Amino acid sequence: VAVAAGGSASCGFERVQTVSASEVSVPLPQGVRCPHGLLAFVLAGCATTEVKLALTYPTPLPWNTQYWKLSSGTWARYARGSVTNPTTVTLTLRDGGFGEDDGAVNGRIVDPGQIAVVDSSLMPSIPTLSEWGVIVLSGLLALVGSLVMRRRPLMRA
């Protein structure tokens, strides 16, 4: 279910359809998959004010869900979208604004995009210490703690 709010009183859907990834001229990047297909829509009659678009899905979204958009021939994660509850994504759009596919201020917001799940093996890893690194760091912290305790006299009543 897609619901738009804002943009002007006449701002509304001209077209909304779900298409498969193979039907889009630019393929999705490797490791990015759209479990609900791609959503291609056009909002028409919109002023240059922000439009909030709420997309509600029938099942809870995976934890690593991101909204991806096609903009000027390139797929990218859309930073102005957020998962607002387990089944809803809210986007902030503006005619001619960042991420709008036709890029023109013409009263129409053209937006192929969809929630996507990125293969976790492609996500940057968080560096951690090895077991020996943890042991050495613990020893250094114990040494610093003992030096601090020696320099401070105990408080006496």
Side-chain angles (χ1 to χ4, degrees):
V1 176
V3 177
S8 74
S10 62
C11 184
F13 288 103
E14 179 179 292
R15 177 177 52 105
V16 180
Q17 69 186 78
T18 304
V19 297
S20 70
S22 63
E23 294 178 69
V24 179
S25 60
V26 178
L28 287 164
Q30 183 179 354
V32 176
R33 63 182 175 80
C34 295
H36 293 280
L38 296 169
L39 181 67
F41 67 87
V42 176
L43 287 167
C46 302
T48 56
T49 58
E50 289 186 342
V51 175
K52 296 282 187 186
L53 180 66
L55 304 172
T56 303
Y57 296 90
T59 58
L61 302 171
W63 69 269
N64 56 344
T65 297
Q66 303 171 343
Y67 193 84
W68 281 60
K69 288 175 50 83
L70 181 62
S71 179
S72 303
T74 304
W75 283 102
R77 186 176 82 74
Y78 188 60
R80 297 192 72 195
S82 62
V83 177
T84 55
N85 69 46
T87 59
T88 303
V89 173
T90 301
L91 307 174
T92 302
L93 308 169
R94 183 184 297 264
D95 182 28
F98 173 75
E100 200 241 324
D101 197 42
D102 73 4
V105 179
N106 57 5
R108 298 180 71 209
I109 297 174
V110 179
D111 185 31
Q114 188 55 280
I115 58 148
V117 178
V118 179
D119 182 357
S120 61
S121 67
L122 299 175
M123 297 177 89
S125 60
I126 299 171
T128 60
L129 292 174
S130 66
E131 288 179 30
W132 281 106
V134 171
I135 292 169
V136 169
L137 183 60
S138 298
L140 288 172
L141 286 172
L143 178 64
V144 169
S146 68
L147 291 173
V148 168
M149 292 303 289
R150 285 186 193 168
R151 293 186 171 242
R152 290 190 174 169
L154 293 175
M155 294 185 64
R156 296 189 181 162

